[in-house]
Amino acid sequence: MKALKTFKLGGIHPQEYKISADKPIEVLPIPKTVNIPVAQNLGAPSKVVVKKGEQVKTGQLIAKGEAFISANVHASVSGKVKKVDEVLDTSGYKRLAVTIQSEGDEWEEDIDTSEEIKKEITASQQEIIDKIQEKGVVGLGGATFPSHVKLKVPEGKTAEYLIINGVECEPFLTSDHRLMVEKGEELMVGIELLKKGLGVEKVLIGIENNKPDAIKYLSEVASQYENIEVQPLKVKYPQGGEKQLIKALLGREVPSGKLPIEVGCVVNNVGTAYAVYEAVQKNKPLVDRVVTVTGKNLEKPCNLQVRIGTPVQDLIDKAGGLPEDTGKVVNGGPMMGKALTSLEAPIVKGTSGVIVFPKGEATRVTQKTCIRCGKCVEACPMGLEPFYLAQLAEKELWDRAEENLIMDCIECGSCHYTCPSGRPLLDYIRVGKPNVGQMIKNRGN
Amino acid sequence: MDKLVISGSPHVHQNTSIPKLMYMVVIAMIPAMLVSFYMFGLGALRVFLIAVLSCYLFEYLIQRYLIKGPITINDGSALITGILLAFNVPSSIPWWMMVVGALVAIGMGKMSFGGLGKNPFNPALVGRVFMLISFPVEMTRWPKPIVSREYFSFAGVDDKVLDTVTGPTPLGVLQEKGVEGLSQTSNYADLMLGQMGGSMGEISAIALVIGGLYLLFRRVISWHIPVAYLGSSFALAAILWFANPTQYADPFFHLVTGGLILGVFYMATDYVSSPISAKGQIIFGVGAGVLTILIRVFGSYPEGVSFAILLMNAATPLINNRFKPKRFGHKPAKAA
Amino acid sequence: MEEVVIYAVVSMAGLGTAAAVILYFIARKFKVIEDPRIDEVEEALPAANCGGCGLAGCRAFAEAIVKNETLEGMNCPVGGNEVMEEIAGIMGLEAEKQEPYVAVVRCNGSKTNAPQKVLYDGPNTCQFAHALSAGESGCPNGCLGCGDCEESCDFDAIHMNPLTGLPEVVEENCTACNACVEACPRDIIELRPQGKKGKRIYISCVNTEKGGPAKKHCEVACIGCGKCVTACPFDAITMENNLAYIDPKKCKLCRLCVPICPTNAILEDNFPEMSEKIVEKAKENLKKQTAKKKEAAKATAEKKEAATAGAAKVTKTTKTDDKNTQKGSSGQQSNSDNKDAPDSSRSKDNEG
């Protein structure tokens, strides 16, 4: 095995709790109704192209992304459009969504739903990018940045490396892990496609060494391809952050406020690579994804292949139902995920996991005074002083917060995780960031 | 099912808290405490009890009746201040001086700034320096280890036997008689174990180092301040010694005598009053180390650890402002 | 010995004189010539430095007035008309009379009206709670109860009531400086004219959801039924995004909209207790206005044949309105209950 790499600055070691790591991906039965939000990606919302009462097939386009940074949305089940209206999203706010009552599972004719692995790449570079755009593929790591935009290298920049993110540094989550173990072959084809679409030669796959089976298997598969290298990494959070991953793999540091392309890298998640494979080779839009449903008290933690728009409740039912003492349900990882206000909220493209926390772990400890121990500074992977930024944000001293680089914060939560006083440092920084952003924007005008 | 909880991420937290950190520091101080009990007997226990109890009492009274805020005596910081204060005084100290010292440490050193987390100086050192300046005789009357055990009781020292049971510290000898005077006193093994006159907690370098390593191992403190502090004081003492071995004591002597080790691991590393960034901590350590040796060699006091740390505490806000942590994605600022 | 004394005295005197001379010239050189009226105006101002005028502070306000030699668009909400007149006197200008305003909290989603559905566990700032989720009651527009407004107030004029979880304005202290309006991330607080003898009528809800969900979140939400719009004889009420709004400039304080609201979302301040008579009158008025507006709609419909569909809609809504009228009076009891809490706390504030 190769020497383990990692990034240097900051980082923490949360307990892993990868309880669902050995649970194979199961397919969740098609739900009765799905609510598919039309704005599932970073950037502009898409425009709805179906009407109430219309019959749709699985994979049919229902919302078209028209802005530069926006993505298409497709029907994830076949059936009748019940309504095009606002539904509650994960945070309890209203979002425009298409509600479809499912009737059977009839797919669009041109979609290949067979199990067969199609390895031969026939599409050209432009065709690959177009296909990815058409099929609504977005970054599945959580940020949901439209993938086709990422493949278009801005003028004056060159991409040297394609980096595939198989780190999954968040505790609890195992969806990427299972994908790598079970769909290695398809993944490699997806990576080849991304490579061709991007026009790069070298590919690095970063995987933390708490997933030895994935490292072993993918190394085997990768040996059949040229220039695809699997690099095991030391377990450390937040290694899955783009900037930290590039630093760990290549030792390059993405300058503040810039994208990875600045140092010749494009980072994609393994889930994205798999979705790209399906989109280009199988003509299948992004209508489902793998979601980890887990929690210490959950009866059957599992990894499920779920249609987009399925209510969270269905997933939890599949995993044995909500335990009695549930205190909190989180959408995403425990470090960066969002707490759900209602179990009716739909699974979206960016949902990597649903985690159920028992009551005892749901509420935070009472916040104490800051003793300036500097643990948060030690933990911050961006080299910031979270305790100070939080103070500045609390006192609304936006210009000083900007001087102290509040906008560099990647919101990984390491600071709050380590704080012995239980101070909600990240919460305050989150209050500060939009205010500072607004201030910078106003100054520009 | 009850109501779901909504909160910002992260949703998992490290199993840590202020009391936990504080009690780890207390655990680290246990070896040195045992040594002081062994060397100074019941008199030491007396001082410990008075110091800790009065620290708790004053913290409670001030929070209850002056600040009228939440009462946080359970966070363990008063316990640490009490033990450190006791570490920093001779075991023969009259009880009421100890109480006054505790009042100054808690009241002036900590509470007057708003309590834990806001004090610019290490409270125990504030108390100690206050006592040193106010009661110079009692604070520099050092009982001899072991010999003094049986002469002490909870009542304090009897003046009649004072001369037989007290003697100077090695640093005091150095100050008065120079390097030649030292050869009469004990050897290094004795100094390391604590066979010398001095404050209760500072005598045994070995016990203190054991505790310090525990703190480093448990990641309660980082290595920057101790290493920088020890390294710089050792280096400066070595330079002086090389320049003139007949006039200056050798660097090992400086390391194992006086309160250096105690200061390095337990007082300079105090979270609240030391800098945040690694760079700042190294500056802090180097500054404290240099000041300590300068005060010891050229100053009028034989010992300089408390003053050195307090001076560097005062410089901490400046250091914090100037030496930021290494930022990700920013090139280190170079002079163009 | 004497020499020492003489030297000392002479050298000190010399030093003093030299310093005095230097200081004198420096003072001359750097003297700032300023319009003395700036100080006078500033003196007249309340020195609250609240920023309610839109400028950085009282000094900036005074400078702006003196510099521009006009009072147009300049108003010190804290000082009110009195202060503005005084400033006008200093400047030799005419002061515009401004109607006094007061902050009004347009949310009645108290803990009983809008029960808690999830538990918020985070820092006590509305800004963060707003960014995180819709809030404990689930209402995406309602008060979050973290008290950013209370914190923003420099005049001790707005307080969170721990019983209701809502802010309450202390009218006597409120200067309408706009601080709380800006602090509220949900735009719940509005500056409204104080009204005659402090009498005001307003919709105490800013929820823009449709009736069903709005009612689910909160008992006293505006469900956008449009009854008040129909009932208002002065066309002071408009409906936008399922939310009614009373234009304070048009409102004649007739109280006829208050009892007919099916969710009691219309609140009135400083009125005598609602009598049966007014309730009856309001019901009658609603019937009358409905008929009148139906006819008016019909008339327009006849004029414009294209608008037939619109007229049909009006008839439809009226039918449902009639059904709801009875409910309106039965809900009256709960309305007065809700208002008890704010009143009692207000009197407490006065005592303190």
Side-chain angles (χ1 to χ4, degrees), chain A residues 88-94 341, chain B residues 6, chain C residues 118 129-144 186 217:
Chain A
L88 292 179
D89 72 352
T90 49
S91 55
Y93 284 115
K94 297 275 148 108
T341 51
Chain B
I6 299 297
Chain C
V118 292
H130 174 66
L132 184 69
S133 79
E136 294 193 326
S137 72
C139 173
N141 302 95
C143 179
L144 292 156
R186 296 194 147 173
H217 296 314

Side-chain angles (χ1 to χ4, degrees), chain C residues 190-235:
Chain C
E190 188 198 2
L191 293 184
R192 290 177 79 93
Q194 232 165 44
K196 279 170 209 155
K197 289 182 195 159
K199 287 180 180 170
R200 295 177 292 275
I201 298 176
Y202 55 94
I203 312 278
S204 186
C205 182
V206 287
N207 185 309
T208 54
E209 288 174 302
K210 282 179 187 156
K215 180 92 190 182
K216 212 169 101 190
H217 296 314
C218 180
E219 286 286 315
V220 293
C222 169
I223 52 171
C225 65
K227 255 186 183 176
C228 51
V229 179
T230 318
C232 183
F234 308 104
D235 289 331

